[in-house]
């Protein structure tokens, strides 16, 4: 199909091209703390370049060997300096180092000579409850394709996004939730109580009524098992345990 020209091209650059890889495609997916607590599934539309099935990604159905370099893709120039002859190799200027030329009537009509067409895919992103911030999901071989190239990956990164429903939580520390609560001097001396709308959808009353202990600025109160769901590190599945708040 491609005659000696394709072979000439392979001799000149095939080994290097076989090791090349198309760039990875990265997406930043904004997620809220509510979503990471409950888990979710989301569809992502992904458009990529797909090798043309009509020409196998070469952009043409016939290649004619370059007459200047005889299909090698390189030319050798001999120069004389004094009594010494030097030979210098360089890419053929007639075929730009390809070793072949494409006749106009051989250009692939399906891809207009590009070697690829646009393809739209839908990626399903499954996020289990308790997934960490900035977690990455990789879809191997789903980046754009090119002939004589390994296909790169699609990588989706979960990026924290503020949400009104979870704004009362200051931050997340792994599986623990941090809540900053401002109280009055009277509450610090006599005890306090305040309502809390948790990420699990339930409402709780948080109480600190130990009148023998004065609450000081920066004191930390821990509520066991009221944090984020915890995952098994090996399988990224729910462990049935929760962090603290």
């Amino acid at each position: 199909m491609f005659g000696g020209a394709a072979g000439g091209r392979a001799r000149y650059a095939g080994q290097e091209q076989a090791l090349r890889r198309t760039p990875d495609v990265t997406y930043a997916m904004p997620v809220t703390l509510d979503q990471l607590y409950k888990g979710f599934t989301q569809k992502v539309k992904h458009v990529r370049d797909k090798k043309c099935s009509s020409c196998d990604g070469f952009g043409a159905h016939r290649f004619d060997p370059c007459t200047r370099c005889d299909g090698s893709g390189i030319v050798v120039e001999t120069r004389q300096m004094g009594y010494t002859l030097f030979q210098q190799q360089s890419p053929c200027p007639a075929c730009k180092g390809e070793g072949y030329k494409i006749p106009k009537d051989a250009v692939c009509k399906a891809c207009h000579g590009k070697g690829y067409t646009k393809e739209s895919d839908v990626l399903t992103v499954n996020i289990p409850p308790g997934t960490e911030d900035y977690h990455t999901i990789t879809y191997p071989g789903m980046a754009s394709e090119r002939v004589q190239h390994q296909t790169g990956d699609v990588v989706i990164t979960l990026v924290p996004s503020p949400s009104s429903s979870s704004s009362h939580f200051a931050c997340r520390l792994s599986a623990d939730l941090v809540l900053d609560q401002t109280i009055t001097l009277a509450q610090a001396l006599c005890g306090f109580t305040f309502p809390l709308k948790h990420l699990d959808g339930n409402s709780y009353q948080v109480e600190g009524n130990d009148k023998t202990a004065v609450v000081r600025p920066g004191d930390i109160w821990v509520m066991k098992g009221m944090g984020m769901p915890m995952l098994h590190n090996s399988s990224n599945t729910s462990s049935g345990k929760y962090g603290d708040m």
Side-chain angles (χ1 to χ4, degrees), residues 3 7 22 49 76 80 97 123 129 152 157 212 237:
T22 60
D49 296 337
V76 179
Q80 182 174 358
L123 305 178
T157 303
T212 63
T237 57

Side-chain angles (χ1 to χ4, degrees), residues 4-139:
R9 183 187 187 192
R11 287 195 299 271
Y12 179 64
Q15 185 174 3
E16 178 184 356
Q17 288 186 353
L19 300 177
R20 291 181 183 176
R21 173 187 169 97
T22 60
D24 290 342
V25 178
T26 59
Y27 292 104
M29 177 182 289
V31 292
T32 65
L33 198 56
D34 303 73
Q35 289 178 308
L36 294 179
Y37 183 90
K38 299 172 183 176
F40 66 96
T41 298
Q42 186 167 321
K43 304 288 187 180
V44 176
K45 184 178 180 180
H46 171 56
V47 179
R48 64 171 178 160
D49 296 337
K50 185 80 172 176
K51 282 192 297 186
C52 177
S53 59
S54 177
C55 63
D56 293 328
F58 286 94
H61 298 285
R62 190 178 81 253
F63 298 85
D64 291 344
C66 176
T67 56
R68 179 166 181 178
C69 64
D70 294 327
S72 66
I74 58 175
V75 291
V76 179
E77 296 181 359
T78 302
R79 297 181 180 180
Q80 182 174 358
M81 296 183 65
Y83 296 100
T84 305
L85 294 176
F86 293 91
Q87 286 188 335
Q88 181 179 2
Q89 292 185 353
S90 60
C92 175
C95 64
K96 299 180 181 179
E98 297 290 351
Y100 61 86
K101 293 183 178 180
I102 301 176
K104 291 183 178 180
D105 62 346
V107 174
C108 179
K109 296 181 180 179
C111 64
H112 305 288
K114 294 180 179 179
Y116 60 88
T117 57
K118 293 293 182 181
E119 179 182 81
S120 180
D121 296 309
V122 176
L123 305 178
T124 301
V125 184
N126 294 309
I127 305 301
T131 300
E132 293 276 359
D133 299 337
Y134 300 103
H135 177 72
T136 59
I137 305 98
T138 302
Y139 297 83

Side-chain angles (χ1 to χ4, degrees), residues 168-169 179 194-198 202-206 223 226 245:
H168 47 269
F169 289 102
L179 173 67
F194 61 87
L196 171 65
K197 179 71 173 180
H198 199 273
N202 296 319
S203 296
Y204 299 91
Q205 284 294 122
V206 180
M223 301 180 68
M226 292 290 289
M245 181 177 71

